């Protein structure tokens, strides 16, 4: 029974992704693609989300920062989806945001939760809207 449920869910997710792709093709818009931005994560020295350990303190720190960022409805979807990586109480922020103001707002929220600016490495990049 469990395998059947998983198969149904898998097909539903696949159908949803296919529908989104078809809709984008029909409307002439392209789907978001961060492939170029993520190439920088291939470096051995790059801090990536998969390096975050299961340490309860780091998980809680990440959760609280994400909650603060997503709770600010004035921030863009880009800002809501920045990468937050906590390692031994140190936080790295990565990804695109829409403006310098948004970058400062995200960093400020992370600093507030982390408790000290020296604990936050802001690697956010401003990527203005293509409107």
């Amino acid at each position: 029974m469990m395998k059947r449920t998983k198969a149904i869910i898998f097909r539903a997710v696949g159908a949803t992704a296919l529908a989104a792709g078809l809709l984008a093709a029909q409307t002439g818009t392209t789907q978001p693609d961060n492939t170029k931005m993520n190439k920088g994560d291939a470096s051995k020295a790059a801090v990536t989300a998969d390096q975050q350990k299961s340490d309860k303190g780091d998980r809680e720190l990440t959760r609280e920062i994400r909650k603060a960022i997503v709770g600010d409805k004035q921030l863009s979807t880009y800002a809501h989806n920045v990468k937050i990586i906590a390692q031994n109480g140190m936080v790295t922020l990565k990804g695109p945001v829409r403006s310098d103001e948004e970058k400062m707002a995200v960093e400020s929220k992370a600093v507030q939760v982390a408790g000290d600016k020296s604990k936050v490495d802001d690697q956010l990049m401003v990527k203005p809207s293509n409107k």
Side-chain angles (χ1 to χ4, degrees), residues 52-67 84 86 113:
Q52 181 166 321
K53 305 296 182 231
S54 295
D55 177 76
K56 184 177 180 179
D58 287 342
R59 283 193 330 258
E60 182 68 16
L61 183 58
T62 300
R63 186 182 74 79
E64 288 297 320
I65 293 170
R66 174 76 59 208
K67 183 177 173 182
I84 304 167
V113 173

Side-chain angles (χ1 to χ4, degrees), residues 33-87:
D33 185 2
N34 283 341
T35 303
K36 290 178 185 174
M37 292 193 87
N38 291 333
K39 286 189 189 254
D41 289 344
S43 163
K44 296 259 187 233
V47 176
T48 57
D50 64 335
Q51 294 172 342
Q52 181 166 321
K53 305 296 182 231
S54 295
D55 177 76
K56 184 177 180 179
D58 287 342
R59 283 193 330 258
E60 182 68 16
L61 183 58
T62 300
R63 186 182 74 79
E64 288 297 320
I65 293 170
R66 174 76 59 208
K67 183 177 173 182
I69 292 170
V70 173
D72 186 343
K73 300 303 178 195
Q74 295 195 3
L75 295 175
S76 71
T77 302
Y78 275 72
H80 286 169
N81 288 300
V82 297
K83 294 175 187 171
I84 304 167
I85 304 127
Q87 296 176 304

Side-chain angles (χ1 to χ4, degrees), residues 107-127:
E107 181 183 15
S108 173
K109 290 175 189 318
V111 168
Q112 186 175 13
V113 173
D116 187 351
K117 186 169 176 45
S118 67
K119 293 182 179 182
V120 177
D121 179 13
D122 179 359
Q123 296 181 17
L124 299 171
M125 297 178 350
V126 176
K127 183 178 179 181

